[in-house]
Amino acid sequence: AQSVTQPDIHITVSEGASLELRCNYSYGATPYLFWYVQSPGQGLQLLLKYFSGDTLVQGIKGFEAEFKRSQSSFNLRKPSVHWSDAAEYFCAVGSLSGGGADGLTFGKGTHLIIQP
Amino acid sequence: DARVTQTPRHKVTEMGQEVTMRCQPILGHNTVFWYRQTMMQGLELLAYFRNRAPLDDSGMPKDRFSAEMPDATLATLKIQPSEPRDSAVYFCASGPGGSSSTDTQYFGPGTRLTVL
């Protein structure tokens, strides 16, 4: 069975500082990996995804993530955070079957707090 | 700007009542997912459909939950009878299916259900 671990429940970062959110996955085959962001009371917005190819993927809002197969990790990074980045961040792993993607398995999320 | 829509956005009901949540996937998407988000369990996949056919509902309590797609523009999730432990935010997501490079799940804003 696939699983996702986000070791950090909360992270506090100063505005303008760099950010790294950790994600480790367990999956038997080639994983399809995602990062989503959720603002309070909102749905989930896709930041970026990895299916294959270049292991460094660029997303929206200046985020990037690196897939490291040897470490079973897919950490999310941003060089300089803004106050508007405060939100809940979810890492997810998925698979494909005939015709498209299957349901996602999500981590428990990391709550990002931005200090002024 | 194509979006997944969900109704109602909020629902408060009493234990034992029937609850129906509706989802309109993005036009042209052939896969619809239902997820539930709680503080304790996080985001869990309940069920999903492809081309209106149920593919997996193993995450759903079968005795009280049912999910259907009466047509390509409407997915429903029904709880009968509802219980306080069903209180959660229920998200619908849709995806275009097809190749891995294009298949991404787009989430609706959710239905916040409170069962008293």
Side-chain angles (χ1 to χ4, degrees):
Chain A
Q2 55 201 39
S3 65
V4 177
T5 301
Q6 293 181 248
D8 304 305
I9 298 174
H10 301 276
I11 280 189
T12 300
V13 178
S14 297
E15 190 169 15
S18 63
L19 170 71
E20 182 169 31
L21 301 182
R22 295 182 292 165
C23 172
N24 292 97
Y25 66 89
S26 173
Y27 187 65
T30 301
Y32 299 96
L33 296 158
F34 305 81
W35 275 99
Y36 282 86
V37 61
Q38 184 180 32
S39 297
Q42 303 297 314
L44 280 76
Q45 181 184 22
L46 179 71
L47 287 175
L48 47 78
K49 61 185 179 184
Y50 170 79
F51 284 105
S52 64
D54 193 347
T55 57
L56 184 64
V57 294
Q58 302 297 320
I60 63 171
K61 304 184 180 185
F63 286 93
E64 66 177 26
E66 186 170 12
F67 170 61
K68 293 185 177 180
R69 186 185 298 274
S70 62
Q71 298 177 21
S72 298
S73 70
F74 189 57
N75 294 347
L76 182 71
R77 300 193 294 249
K78 186 171 185 177
S80 176
V81 298
H82 186 261
W83 65 266
S84 60
D85 293 325
E88 192 83 15
Y89 290 80
F90 292 94
C91 181
V93 64
S95 58
L96 292 182
S97 60
D102 297 325
L104 297 176
T105 298
F106 284 88
K108 296 293 189 187
T110 296
H111 184 62
L112 176 63
I113 301 165
I114 306 296
Q115 281 184 337
Chain B
D1 185 21
R3 298 186 183 193
V4 176
T5 58
Q6 292 186 246
T7 56
R9 292 293 310 278
H10 302 273
K11 176 72 176 179
V12 180
T13 191
E14 293 187 346
M15 182 173 61
Q17 297 298 305
E18 177 179 299
V19 175
T20 299
M21 291 168 271
R22 294 176 175 80
C23 168
Q24 182 173 8
I26 293 172
L27 189 64
H29 282 191
N30 72 349
T31 312
V32 175
F33 304 82
W34 284 105
Y35 293 88
R36 175 171 64 182
Q37 184 178 35
T38 61
M39 290 293 292
M40 292 300 296
Q41 300 299 323
L43 277 155
E44 304 172 284
L45 176 69
L46 295 177
Y48 68 103
F49 295 76
R50 181 158 294 130
N51 297 318
R52 296 177 56 200
L55 284 192
D56 185 358
D57 62 0
S58 59
M60 207 163 62
K62 301 292 193 305
D63 56 338
R64 299 182 299 107
F65 284 59
S66 61
E68 296 180 344
M69 280 202 74
D71 61 62
T73 64
L74 177 65
T76 62
L77 180 65
K78 187 176 296 185
I79 308 174
Q80 167 64 21
S82 58
E83 298 181 1
R85 59 179 168 155
D86 301 329
S87 297
V89 181
Y90 291 81
F91 287 104
C92 175
S94 72
S99 70
S100 62
S101 62
T102 59
D103 202 2
T104 297
Q105 295 182 30
Y106 297 87
F107 281 74
T111 294
R112 181 175 296 276
L113 173 65
T114 302
V115 183
L116 303 174

